[in-house]
Amino acid sequence: MTDFVVAECAIRQLHARYLDAVYRYDFEAFGDCFTEDCRWTIGGAVLHGRKAIVEYNRKLFTEKFKKLFITLRTPILEVGDGVASGRTYFSGQNILIDGTPYAPTGIYYERFVDQGDRWRMAWRMFETHYSGPADMSGTISHLSSA
């Protein structure tokens, strides 16, 4: 149980650092949340490596959004031997460049690794369940990879 508690705490801190970096548009801190060879699938894009992830998101954040405020729920984790896999529920209360409110929701399927100095994301796949106006008047998808 101790290994699980330590891993869960470290992964929750990783998520907190990630949220903080997104909110502040701190791309150095954002990049430090990922392994060098991380793979991330999101919105039709498949990104390979920390550098590609940071550059893609730097462009996305600055060209599409005026402000991002995202929330990750407590991850559901399976932990063992310095690795973990999880499912994390996500929601956003964002503002697009043109001032339009935008409130996506979905699930992150993730793999994490303990790299000695901290845990980092090694693989992520985002499954969108809703993408649209903040009043939730758009189409809600009931997809599930699980």
Side-chain angles (χ1 to χ4, degrees):
M1 182 57 95
T2 302
D3 290 343
F4 178 85
V5 171
V6 169
E8 186 204 25
C9 181
I11 291 166
R12 288 174 60 160
Q13 285 299 302
L14 168 61
H15 277 166
R17 284 191 301 276
Y18 169 81
L19 295 172
D20 181 62
V22 169
Y23 187 77
R24 294 182 298 111
Y25 286 40
D26 181 339
F27 295 103
E28 185 174 329
F30 178 81
D32 195 38
C33 294
F34 303 92
T35 62
E36 287 290 338
D37 61 348
C38 183
R39 177 183 165 126
W40 189 1
T41 303
I42 185 167
V46 180
L47 309 167
H48 299 274
R50 178 187 292 169
K51 184 177 177 183
I53 290 167
V54 169
E55 290 312 310
Y56 176 88
N57 283 284
R58 179 189 313 270
K59 184 175 180 176
L60 178 70
F61 294 178
T62 59
E63 292 180 6
K64 184 173 180 176
F65 295 99
K66 185 180 289 186
K67 195 63 184 169
L68 289 154
F69 184 71
I70 60 176
T71 303
L72 296 172
R73 303 316 187 272
T74 302
I76 300 163
L77 298 171
E78 297 293 328
V79 176
D81 298 325
V83 297
S85 60
R87 189 170 65 246
T88 307
Y89 290 83
F90 166 98
S91 63
Q93 295 173 298
N94 306 321
I95 303 170
L96 300 176
I97 284 290
D98 68 3
T100 303
Y102 176 68
T105 65
I107 300 174
Y108 270 111
Y109 297 89
E110 302 174 288
R111 285 189 211 117
F112 308 92
V113 295
D114 180 356
Q115 293 197 308
D117 62 332
R118 69 167 69 174
W119 284 71
R120 289 186 174 83
M121 294 177 243
W123 178 90
R124 304 182 94 195
M125 195 268 304
F126 184 69
E127 180 179 81
T128 303
H129 287 200
Y130 175 78
S131 180
D135 67 2
M136 302 295 282
S137 61
T139 303
I140 297 175
S141 171
H142 294 287
L143 299 173
S144 180
S145 295

